Amino acid sequence: MRFGKSSWRTFEQGIQKEWLLTNGIGGFANSTIVGVNTRRYHGLLIASLKPPVSRHLILSKIDESITIGDESFDLFSYEVPGFIMKGYHYMEGFEREPLPKFIFRVGDVYIEKTVSMVYGENTVAVVYYVRNGEESINLRLTPLVNFRDYHHCSRKENLNFYKSVAGKDSVILRPQNYDIDITLFCSEGEFKPMDYCWFYNMDYSIERERGMASTEDHYIPGYFDINIKPNEEKYITVIATVEKELKLKDGLKIIGNEIERLEALVKKAGYDDELSKILVRSADSFIVHRESTNAKTIIAGYPWFTDWGRDTMIALPGITLVTKRFDDAKDILYTFSRYVKDGLIPNMFPDEGNEPSYNTVDAPLWYFEAVNKYISYTKDYDFVKDNIYDGLKQIIDYYKKGTKFDIRMDDDFLITAGNEHTQLTWMDAKVGDWVVTPRHGKAVEINALWYNALRIMAELSERYGDSSKSYIELAQKVKESFENKFWNSEKECLYDCLTPNYKDDKVRPNQILAVSLSYPVIEGEMAKKVVNKVYKELYTANGLRSLSPKCREYVGIYIGDQYRRDGAYHQGTVWTWPLGHFITAYLRVNNYSDKSKKDAMSFIEAIKDHLKDACIGSISEIFDGDEPLIPRGCYAQAWSVAEILRAYIEEDLNKGI
C-alpha cells in the first residue's frame, strides 16, 4: 500500500495512520506515516527485555536534516506544546508493504528511509538510500534515545547515561543503574558526541486525548554526519540494539532477510489474493516467544497488551491454523495444557512474577474450540490424546462440581459464575468498585461454549475409546435448558445473562456464539431470528456493537479518561472479532445460499477499507459505536485479525462467489 501527499494535507490527517513492525519476541517499532510520535508507545525500538514482556523504549526516533550549500532542511516532524514541526512537507510518499518506507525529496535530492527489525532480536535497522543532485550535501542523523518502561514517560532527570564512543561509527550508551548497553551504529560518516543535550517536551496527542501523561524528554548523545558528493548514490545503515553483539551491520541484508521471512510465511499459507496475504503478514505480528514458558504465545494487541488466555484461544484458529503454522498452534496448546489448574487455564501471564491469573470463566471453554479447530486442520488426534485430553476432562469435571470464582454447573445444567463484584467474561470492564457490565450468573456465550465443549468431549472420548454417553446426555440437557431459559420471545433473540432475580434482555453480540461455534446450541428458526436481531441492531461496517443503540445505557463514543473509556468499552463500542462469528452464523442460517455468500463478502469488503487506516495492514481492537466508526483502543488486535481471516478463508469467501 502506498500513500501520498493527499494523506497528510493537514497534520491531523497525517497522524491518523500508523505502522507497526515486530520482532517475534514482544519487541516492536511503530509510529505514524509522517514520522510524528503521537503515543508514548511509539518508537523505532521498543525492546522486550524479558520476552515478550518488560518492554522498554530505547530509540524514540531519528531526526534527519540535510544541508545543501548554505541552506538546511529538517525532514523530521514532531509536536511540542504550542508548536508543530512539519518536516513531512518534504515527503512525497509512504509505502507499507512489505516494510515501512518514507520517501523524501528536497530539490534534486531524493531520499528513501526503510525500517526493519531483526527477527528474534531487540534490534532495529534504518536504511537510507540517497540519490544526490548536482551539489554536495551533508546528511545529519540525530538519534533520540530513552530507556523506560513503555507504559510511562521520561523526564530529563531520569535520563542518565554513561556514554562511550566506539570509533567513528558507533556509540555505546549504558543507562545509569542498569546492566545493559544500547549500541548505535552508522555505516557511513562520523559520530559527533554532544554533552548535556536533550529533546524537551515531545507531546503525544493520543495520550493527551486518553487523559494520560503526554509529554516527555529524550536524550541526544550526538549525531552522525555523512557527506555525499554530487550525483552520488549511497546506502546508509543506522542500527540500534540492546543485544550483546551486533551480529549484522548490513542494513540491506537485514531488510532482505525480513522480506524473505515474510514471503515464506505467505507462501506457506498458500493464498493468492491480496487480502489473505496482508492478513497472513499481520497475523505474524502476534506470534511471539515467551521466555518463561519457553514456548510460542499470542500477543493480544499492540501497542500495550501482552498475552492473555482468552484472547489466545479465540485468536488461535485465525492466527496459527488458517496460516498453516501448525507447529506454533501445537506449541501454544501444549503450553496451556501444562497450566490447567482447578479446571481453569490462565487468563494472563503477568509482566512480573511467575503465577498466572486464572480469573476467567470463558478461556477454558474457548480452549475446547481451539483444540477442535486444531484437529480439524491437522487430524493430529495423537497429540491431543497424549497432551491435551486429560486437561479437557479435568475442565469438564471441575465445571460440573464447581471451582474458583463460583464457577459451577447449576441444577438446570447451565454454567453460573461469579458474583456482583467479579467480571469473568470477555466483557470485563471494571473501574474501581464499579463493574460496568455486570454479567455474573449464567451468561449466554458461556453456556453456548459449555454445550460446544461437551459435544467436542463426546467426539474425542468416542475417538479415544472412552464412553461418550455421559457427555452426549449432558449436552442434550444443556441444549434443552438453554433453549428454555435463554429465549426471549418478546425481542425474538437471546437473553444476555440470567440471575435468579433478573433476566438481562439487553441486545448484545454474545448471543451470536450460540449459532457460530463448531457445535451450535440453537438451530433452525430460533437461530435465524438471533442472527437477524444482531444484524439489525448491532452490525456495522467495522464489527458488531457491544450494545444496541436502543438501550438507554448505550454509549456511542469511546473517548476521554480511563473512567469514561472503561464506561463505554462494552456499552456500544464496536468490536471486530465478533464479526467473524457473525459471518459464520449468517451463512449457516441462510444455508450458504448465493445471496448469503454475496452478503458475507460485502461484510469483508467493508472491513477491507480499514486496512488502509489506523495501523496500516492490521485491524483495530475497537471502534466508536456511532458513525463514522473512528478506530480506538489497540490499533492492531490479534482476535480482530484472526476472526476476519478465519471467516474469509474457512467460508471460502476468498474464492469469490
Side-chain angles (χ1 to χ4, degrees), residues 64-68 71-76 90 106:
E64 305 90 2
S65 300
I66 61 172
T67 300
I68 308 173
E71 286 190 273
S72 292
F73 304 87
D74 295 326
L75 309 186
F76 52 89
Y90 296 110
V106 180

Side-chain angles (χ1 to χ4, degrees), residues 231-439:
N231 301 311
E232 183 179 11
E233 295 185 37
K234 186 183 287 289
Y235 285 95
I236 303 155
T237 296
V238 178
I239 295 175
T241 185
V242 294
E243 301 295 329
K244 294 185 181 300
E245 178 185 0
L246 185 53
K247 300 174 183 176
L248 184 59
K249 296 183 178 181
D250 185 343
L252 291 177
K253 181 65 174 175
I254 290 172
I255 289 173
N257 289 345
E258 182 62 6
I259 292 175
E260 184 178 345
R261 189 186 70 84
L262 293 171
E263 288 177 347
L265 294 176
V266 171
K267 183 177 180 180
K268 183 175 186 176
Y271 309 118
D272 295 328
D273 67 284
E274 193 59 30
L275 176 60
S276 295
K277 292 177 181 179
I278 290 172
L279 293 180
V280 167
R281 286 191 291 264
S282 180
D284 174 67
S285 300
F286 304 101
I287 301 176
V288 300
H289 176 78
R290 172 169 273 279
E291 189 175 87
S292 64
T293 59
N294 192 30
K296 292 292 181 67
T297 187
I298 295 176
I299 290 289
Y302 293 94
W304 51 71
F305 288 149
T306 56
D307 47 339
W308 292 354
R310 174 191 297 124
D311 294 59
T312 296
M313 294 308 139
I314 294 174
L316 185 141
I319 297 296
T320 66
L321 299 177
V322 173
T323 59
K324 298 183 175 61
R325 297 177 69 158
F326 303 136
D327 288 341
D328 291 337
K330 180 187 290 189
D331 202 16
I332 293 166
L333 293 174
Y334 174 70
T335 298
F336 275 88
S337 75
R338 293 162 46 204
Y339 285 89
V340 174
K341 181 179 180 182
D342 300 325
L344 303 175
I345 68 170
N347 189 40
M348 184 175 71
F349 293 98
D351 285 9
E352 302 293 339
N354 298 316
E355 180 63 25
S357 300
Y358 286 86
N359 57 327
T360 167
V361 61
D362 48 358
L365 301 177
W366 278 111
Y367 190 44
F368 283 83
E369 179 74 350
V371 170
N372 191 57
K373 288 286 188 181
Y374 173 79
I375 289 174
S376 70
Y377 275 85
T378 67
K379 311 304 179 187
D380 193 356
Y381 285 97
D382 290 342
F383 165 74
V384 172
K385 180 181 180 182
D386 295 340
N387 300 284
I388 308 294
Y389 184 52
D390 287 345
L392 298 181
K393 288 195 291 186
Q394 182 191 140
I395 293 169
I396 295 292
D397 290 343
Y398 268 94
Y399 271 57
K400 288 168 61 178
K401 68 183 181 182
T403 185
K404 295 178 179 179
F405 306 108
D406 301 318
I407 298 170
R408 61 179 176 83
M409 185 177 73
D410 206 352
D411 294 339
D412 58 3
F413 312 106
L414 299 176
I415 296 297
T416 183
N419 55 55
E420 62 271 18
H421 304 296
T422 58
Q423 273 292 65
L424 303 176
T425 73
W426 78 280
M427 289 189 162
D428 56 1
K430 185 178 180 182
V431 185
D433 294 329
W434 176 34
V435 177
V436 183
T437 47
R439 303 187 73 239

Side-chain angles (χ1 to χ4, degrees), residues 19-31 37 39-49 53-62 100 113 115-126 143-152 154 161 171 173 175 180-185 204 216 218 238-246 254 302-303 635:
W19 56 269
L20 169 72
L21 296 176
T22 62
N23 65 359
I25 55 174
F28 57 97
N30 67 145
S31 187
N37 290 351
R39 304 177 185 266
R40 57 186 170 179
Y41 303 97
H42 277 162
L44 289 175
L45 178 58
I46 292 88
S48 179
L49 305 182
V53 296
S54 189
R55 292 156 160 175
H56 282 64
L57 174 65
I58 305 299
L59 179 63
S60 173
K61 62 202 296 281
I62 299 173
K113 170 186 175 182
V115 184
S116 179
M117 300 201 82
V118 177
Y119 192 75
E121 292 185 16
N122 286 308
T123 302
V124 66
V126 183
L144 277 58
V145 177
N146 213 305
F147 186 82
R148 48 88 169 163
D149 181 279
Y150 75 147
H151 289 307
H152 302 108
S154 292
F161 296 88
V171 60
L173 306 172
I180 190 168
D181 287 337
I182 301 169
T183 300
L184 300 174
F185 162 83
Y204 303 133
E216 79 168 328
H218 300 292
V238 178
I239 295 175
T241 185
V242 294
E243 301 295 329
K244 294 185 181 300
E245 178 185 0
L246 185 53
I254 290 172
Y302 293 94
Y635 56 58

